[in-house]
Every structure is written in C-alpha cells, then in structure tokens.
Amino acid sequence: MSELIPAQQLRYSAQLLLPEMDERQQQRLFASKVLIIGLGGLGSVVASYLAGAGVGQLLLADDDRVSLSNLPRQLLYSSAEVGLHKVDCAKARLTAQNPEIAISTLPKRLTLAELQVLLPEVDLVLDCTDNASSRLAINQACYTQQVPLISGAATGWQGQLLALKPWLGQGCYQCLYPDWQDSPSCLQSGILGPLVGMVACQQALLALQYLLNIGVIPFGHLRYFDGLQGTSGQLQLQQDPDCPVCALNE
C-alpha cells in the first residue's frame, strides 16, 4: 500500500488527526466505491462530504435537472446552472472540490434490473431519493445483492434516517412501509434547507463510519426527529413475516 504524498497528508490532515484514523484508513477510503441515488437536498450534501473525505469512487444517479426552487437546500448548484442535469453539475463541482477522486454519472432513474447489475460493483448505497417506487426498488436490490443501505428522508419538519443490512433478519423498508405511497413533495409540504442538511450530514457520517469500520452504526434502527419541536428518537425495525422482500420464510 503506497504512502500518502505530502499534498494528501495536508488535504486530509484534520481527519487523520482522529485516533481512529491513519494513512491506512485513508487508503481504505480511496479504495471505496459508493452509489448515491438522488442528488437533491440530501444527495448534494452527502456527495460533497464523501468527496471531501476522499472516498475514491462516487457513482451519482439522478434524472432531474436543476430548478430555481432547488437552490435554497441543494448546495452543489448555482443560479447559472438552472436547467442543466444535476449529475453533470454535481460532477463538475465535486471534481473541483477534490480532483483526486473518480466520479461517474447516470442521468436516469434507475430501475430494479439496473440496480441489480450495478450493486455488486459498490461497497455501499445511499438512498437520497424522494419517491416510494425508487426507495422500494433500491431496498429490494440491496437485499438481494447484500449491499448495505443508508437511507435518508426529510419533508416538512420531519427527518428520518435508516441504516439497513436486511439480509441479517433486521427487516427492510418494505417491512416499515408495506403499503407505502408517495408522501407530498417538498414543494407541496414545505421544507427548510437546514433540516435536509441535518439528515444528509448523518447519512454521510454513517457512510464514512461504515467504510472505515469504526464507531457504532445502528443497522436496523430508524432514527427520527422533529425540527420544529427539537425532539428525536429511535425505534428498532421489526421484520414483517409476510414481507415479500426479506421475510425469513420466503
């Protein structure tokens, strides 16, 4: 394993000072590949933190274009980029932030079949989408391909975070929302940028902990909080014995 060059030692100096970190751990990040699905308020923040930390390969998937209403909470984009594909804008900004990492883009909404092909190539999936069909497809693909999933959601004043290894009998998103329908979009229910950022920062932190194999990752537990009331909590996900995705008696 090669040593970090002086410029890398300087770039990553703050995180290398942590007792859990060293050059070997930094090399571990360089060797990691993460799929980020959705580059809105969650994904744009998550991608920036993972790129900054030196995650070596980021695969970015989103079929959307930048709109003016995105800009208060989607921090990768500028007014000049309205109308452009988010993945292209994100790649340009992240490459400028850290030219050492490799970034691939998929300007499309991934189907279950496409996810099944992609997932064996990655170490971790971050679900930053905003619709039920995508979340359920991601959940099913991660289960069948046995790739860990960290999913975030934010709408109104509510935020949720869920880390999953459902093949270990912890349950999955299908168990949590067996009859899930799309919730109102941010433009319908309202949202403040910092609330989305809070969820995204937790997603990024859990992702780095997982890739580095440090700390406690609450797999199978749903974290939730209310940004208006300042309350938060956690509950353990229960596996639905009739779940069509992860039930033990399938």
Side-chain angles (χ1 to χ4, degrees), residues 6 32 43 67 107 109 155:
S32 299
S67 70
R109 180 175 293 191
T155 185

Side-chain angles (χ1 to χ4, degrees), residues 114-131:
E114 290 169 332
L115 287 164
Q116 301 281 23
V117 174
L118 282 174
L119 262 55
E121 303 175 5
V122 305
D123 300 298
L124 179 67
V125 175
L126 295 174
D127 178 0
C128 303
T129 62
D130 60 0
N131 66 89

Side-chain angles (χ1 to χ4, degrees), residues 143 166-171 175 239-250:
Y143 173 75
W167 61 91
L168 299 180
Q170 300 165 330
C175 298
Q239 187 174 50
D240 181 353
D242 297 319
C243 177
V245 176
C246 73
L248 295 178
N249 60 352
E250 61 185 339

